[in-house]
Amino acid sequence: MEQFLTFGIVGLSTAAIYAVIGSGLVLTYVTTGVFNFAHGAAGMLAAFCYWQFTVGWGWPVPVALAVVLLVLAPAFGLAVERVLMRPVQRFGEAERLVMTVALLSGAIAAARWIWDPDVPRPLSVFFADNKPFHIGPATVTWHQALTMTVAVTVAAGLWFVLNHTRTGAEMRATVDDRALVKLTGADPVRASRAAWILGTQLAAIGGILIAPTVALDASQLSLLIVSAYTAAVFGRLRSLPYTFAGAVIVGCLESYLTGYLPQNQYLPGLRLAAPALLLFLALLLFRHPDLRHRDRRLVPVPAPSMRGTAVFAASTIAFGAVLATVLDEADLVSYGPIFSLGIVALSYVPLAGYAGQISLCQLSMAGIGAVVWGHLGAHGELWALAAAIVVSGAAGALIAVPALRFSGVYLALGTAAFAVVLDRWIFTLPTFHLFGMRIALFDQGSVEMSGPDLFGLHLDSAAELTILAAVFLGLASLAVARLRSSGFGRRLIALRDSEAAYATLGGNLLVTKVAVFALSAGIAGLGGALYGMQQRTITAEQFNLIAGLPIFLVAVVGGLGAVGNGLFAGTAFLGPNILLGVASWTQNIVTVLPALAGMGLGHNPEGIVARFRRDWEPLGRDRIALPALLGVLALGWVLRLTHLINGWTLLIGSLVAASTLRTWATARRDSKTAPDIPVEWWGVRRPWRPQDGEVLARATAGS
């Protein structure tokens, strides 16, 4: 009984922290309509700053707490609201969600940049010198008592603010109808600002309270928010009392699993994955109809021509051949995965771009494909590649069945929970037998990878695998383009536009969702298998949730509806590594870039690929400039192969030639088309030019 009470006290103290963090999450959502995936990252940054002030610089604890909670946390919340969230407030829920995911990824990268993750940073609990006291047979530390006291105080304070103050009324009304709030004389911007500041302060309180009891690690502290997610989902993202009840369930579950879970090699990861499993179950049990009716501003999905896609696929393969021939073995290990990770990014196009289903576990699906190839294709058997696609597709279908009950934020939460379960438990399992079959994953270590046998040749060099990955990326791009113009592709677009209308018109939601999840997971599994071949050895950490966020962000920035997004995402994700060849200190800058790109989504919601295509279309259609560019590129390639120029000269020369010829081709097109277009059609039938405004102003003044 004493042990049971002891673990109960530990669980309640942990639950108090989850309740504080979860209440901040609920507060932000109720008052702004934004589900903040970066809520835990705010607490993580606060914990690191608190350590820096108290341990690193020796500040007194009260002073450090005052600076973190009253200065830094409010400033961070204010900056997030003003710089990141306000520009995307007019967009749909998906864009706001992506912005907070970008903030999460960026905060983790920034923390690792500022505080070396290889250096341990222990923190002392509050009142460490005071002797614990007893409640019956259970021992309670003053730190545990403090956390529970803070949780009760936060609950009472939030209830009073939301229900008995004008600011609370403004915050609750703003999320329902911002325009109507303005008519009453209230200020929705002020209400949103207050919500972000208060929510960030609550995250900071939770981060500081829990940091002494866990390792001060950026990823671990940020993912503690999964437990707070679960508590918030128990409260349906609206009810603070139910959020606190959910926190108690999560905290006690973790504590009792620690004390009573049987000790064997299969179950340690279950305790770590328990909050994510509970989150998934809570999403299944509770219905959240309010999210289904939130306004969305959908970006049109272009229907690419098969001819243009074929040219793009051929260009992708040619690009792979160029890289394979001009880069050495070491460089190909760094840049060759452009194509395999590009396939993983391409898997977002049918799932999120066509069907509107947000998934944060695509890299986990890639990990499944890599594991299947590593074990079944150890000797290069090509059929194992098909098996990797099939098994990954089956895992995607497994997600889709319960995901039928999810949409919007809840679908993102469900897929994130699934990824965490794989990271913390499934991928850590040793070899086991299921229905007489031997199942081997990462086997608590790494998996050796080998290239495939193709037409009697064993492809194992970095150059050969790079070309192979480029070929598969080109073929996958063709398949995704064909999918867009097919009947199934049109059904996916209809599903994205309105699930209710799709079902009303006779569409089968279950079959369609299972099919598109399986298809996208199969594509990701193919990319994961190819990526594993190129890496030679893979570990579970390469396919966890945190590792997948930058790829997701780059894919979103490229444009989820664009077939060319695979090559763009792979290049944009790994291309900046070229800076490492210039200066090794740029490594931290490179890790932050995907998050910065995601934060810029509000300025270009349709994606960079569509804009890139518009800007470079004149060059592709010019019968003089395009052959000239191809000739220059071919000449540079030959000169590089003969070692007359180095790689930097080839890269810079190619970029200069392409930019110059594009400008010339654009000028040629404009000179031919401008006289034929009436002034009232400027900006419609041809792009608007800066000088057009001056021309119109002079014409108006002259008349």
Side-chain angles (χ1 to χ4, degrees):
M1 187 62 180
E2 179 179 351
Q3 185 181 22
F4 182 85
L5 290 176
T6 300
F7 283 117
I9 293 296
V10 173
L12 289 175
S13 63
T14 306
I17 298 173
Y18 293 158
V20 171
I21 300 175
S23 61
L25 190 64
V26 170
L27 173 69
T28 304
Y29 183 78
V30 168
T31 56
T32 67
V34 177
F35 186 88
N36 186 12
F37 264 89
H39 194 68
M44 175 270 296
L45 290 175
F48 271 102
C49 290
Y50 175 72
W51 176 91
Q52 187 64 53
F53 293 153
T54 57
V55 179
W57 294 343
W59 289 14
V61 169
V63 175
L65 287 174
V67 172
V68 173
L69 298 180
L70 302 180
V71 179
L72 296 184
F76 183 79
L78 185 62
V80 170
E81 188 278 331
R82 178 66 183 87
V83 179
L84 296 182
M85 302 313 304
R86 196 181 301 178
V88 298
Q89 191 65 43
R90 66 186 186 276
F91 297 125
E93 189 177 46
E95 286 79 7
R96 299 196 293 266
L97 173 67
V98 168
M99 194 64 69
T100 62
V101 171
L103 183 59
L104 168 62
S105 179
I108 293 174
R112 289 174 173 172
W113 183 355
I114 300 172
W115 294 280
D116 186 354
D118 296 326
V119 176
R121 292 180 173 83
L123 265 175
S124 299
V125 298
F126 289 97
F127 306 113
D129 297 332
N130 292 15
K131 293 183 178 180
F133 58 93
H134 297 274
I135 299 180
T139 302
V140 182
T141 67
W142 284 96
H143 182 88
Q144 293 170 335
L146 174 65
T147 58
M148 289 184 273
T149 303
V150 168
V152 173
T153 305
V154 165
L158 284 179
W159 177 84
F160 180 81
V161 168
L162 291 176
N163 295 281
H164 294 281
T165 65
R166 178 177 176 82
T167 301
E170 284 185 356
M171 288 192 296
R172 288 186 289 111
T174 296
V175 69
D176 293 328
D177 194 325
R178 296 176 69 88
L180 186 60
V181 168
K182 290 182 180 179
L183 293 178
T184 65
D187 186 355
V189 174
R190 180 180 60 199
S192 296
R193 186 185 303 128
W196 278 101
I197 289 175
L198 185 55
T200 305
Q201 287 179 309
L202 292 176
I205 292 172
I208 292 174
L209 287 175
I210 204 170
T213 62
V214 298
L216 200 58
D217 176 78
S219 297
Q220 182 176 346
L221 276 177
S222 297
L223 285 183
L224 284 174
I225 193 63
V226 172
S227 300
Y229 288 165
T230 308
V233 168
F234 268 89
R236 303 190 180 188
L237 295 183
R238 291 191 175 277
S239 170
L240 290 176
Y242 282 113
T243 298
F244 274 69
V248 171
I249 294 174
V250 176
C252 291
L253 176 66
E254 290 183 356
S255 180
Y256 286 125
L257 283 178
T258 301
Y260 295 103
L261 196 67
Q263 298 297 318
N264 64 54
Q265 57 185 339
Y266 300 103
L267 294 180
L270 175 59
R271 184 187 65 81
L272 299 176
L277 282 171
L278 191 59
L279 171 60
F280 202 82
L281 291 175
L283 289 169
L284 288 176
L285 294 175
F286 300 134
R287 297 192 64 85
H288 310 275
D290 291 343
L291 287 181
R292 297 179 183 272
H293 304 292
R294 292 193 179 274
D295 58 311
R296 295 185 297 168
R297 300 183 64 177
L298 299 174
V299 177
V301 179
S305 67
M306 293 307 298
R307 180 179 179 182
T309 307
V311 173
F312 171 76
S315 302
T316 299
I317 297 172
F319 180 43
V322 170
L323 287 185
T325 52
V326 302
L327 298 180
D328 57 26
E329 190 84 6
D331 287 335
L332 283 175
V333 172
S334 299
Y335 301 107
I338 282 176
F339 305 100
S340 54
L341 293 180
I343 295 175
V344 177
L346 184 65
S347 69
Y348 285 106
V349 174
L351 182 63
Y354 295 172
Q357 307 299 307
I358 301 174
S359 173
L360 298 180
C361 67
Q362 291 302 99
L363 192 63
S364 300
M365 300 297 101
I368 293 174
V371 165
V372 172
W373 169 260
H375 290 292
L376 300 183
H379 302 290
E381 298 88 344
L382 196 59
W383 62 266
L385 196 58
I389 298 173
V390 171
V391 174
S392 300
L398 181 65
I399 301 174
V401 175
L404 186 64
R405 294 174 58 89
F406 307 157
S407 64
V409 164
Y410 291 111
L411 181 57
L413 278 172
T415 54
F418 190 84
V420 172
V421 171
L422 289 177
D423 301 343
R424 297 184 173 181
W425 185 26
I426 304 300
F427 283 167
T428 65
L429 291 175
T431 301
F432 61 95
H433 289 81
L434 182 65
F435 302 118
M437 294 187 300
R438 180 179 179 272
I439 307 296
L441 299 173
F442 290 94
D443 202 16
Q444 299 179 321
S446 60
V447 178
E448 299 295 327
M449 307 290 285
S450 176
D453 292 330
L454 187 63
F455 304 120
L457 299 175
H458 184 64
L459 307 181
D460 201 43
S461 69
E464 293 169 342
L465 294 175
T466 297
I467 295 175
L468 180 68
V471 170
F472 274 110
L473 177 57
L475 294 176
S477 300
L478 279 171
V480 171
R482 180 68 184 87
L483 173 68
R484 173 62 182 88
S485 59
S486 67
F488 181 63
R490 290 190 291 271
R491 289 196 296 272
L492 293 180
I493 299 297
L495 175 69
R496 181 193 74 140
D497 292 343
S498 174
E499 291 187 11
Y502 178 79
T504 301
L505 295 175
N508 191 315
L509 286 176
L510 176 60
V511 172
T512 305
K513 280 194 173 185
V514 169
V516 71
F517 266 91
L519 173 65
S520 64
I523 295 173
L526 170 63
L530 293 169
Y531 176 70
M533 296 177 198
Q534 293 177 296
Q535 294 299 298
R536 310 289 183 175
T537 302
I538 57 171
T539 61
E541 288 74 17
Q542 293 173 274
F543 301 97
N544 61 29
L545 174 64
I546 298 300
L549 292 181
I551 299 177
F552 169 73
L553 292 173
V554 174
V556 171
V557 170
L560 293 176
V563 173
N565 198 16
L567 181 61
F568 166 81
T571 305
F573 181 62
L574 292 178
N577 287 338
I578 197 171
L579 296 175
L580 300 179
V582 179
S584 59
W585 56 265
T586 59
Q587 180 177 359
N588 291 313
I589 298 177
V590 170
T591 59
V592 175
L593 287 179
L596 295 178
M599 294 175 191
L601 177 67
H603 302 289
N604 193 21
E606 65 176 344
I608 292 177
V609 172
R611 181 176 178 179
F612 185 86
R613 180 179 180 181
R614 287 196 305 269
D615 292 344
W616 289 83
E617 187 177 13
L619 176 60
R621 294 182 178 275
D622 195 289
R623 297 184 177 181
I624 299 176
L626 181 59
L629 177 61
L630 294 177
V632 171
L633 296 179
L635 177 61
W637 186 24
V638 172
L639 293 177
R640 177 67 185 93
L641 292 178
T642 55
H643 302 288
L644 295 177
I645 61 174
N646 58 24
W648 284 105
T649 304
L650 174 61
L651 174 63
I652 296 174
S654 299
L655 294 176
V656 170
S659 179
T660 302
L661 289 171
R662 182 187 72 87
T663 303
W664 183 65
T666 302
R668 274 169 47 84
R669 184 200 62 177
D670 292 344
S671 65
K672 292 179 181 179
T673 58
D676 300 328
I677 300 177
V679 64
E680 60 267 21
W681 289 101
W682 291 2
V684 179
R685 293 184 177 176
R686 70 162 175 80
W688 179 267
R689 298 194 298 262
Q691 59 267 32
D692 290 343
E694 182 180 353
V695 172
L696 292 178
R698 290 180 178 177
T700 304
S703 61

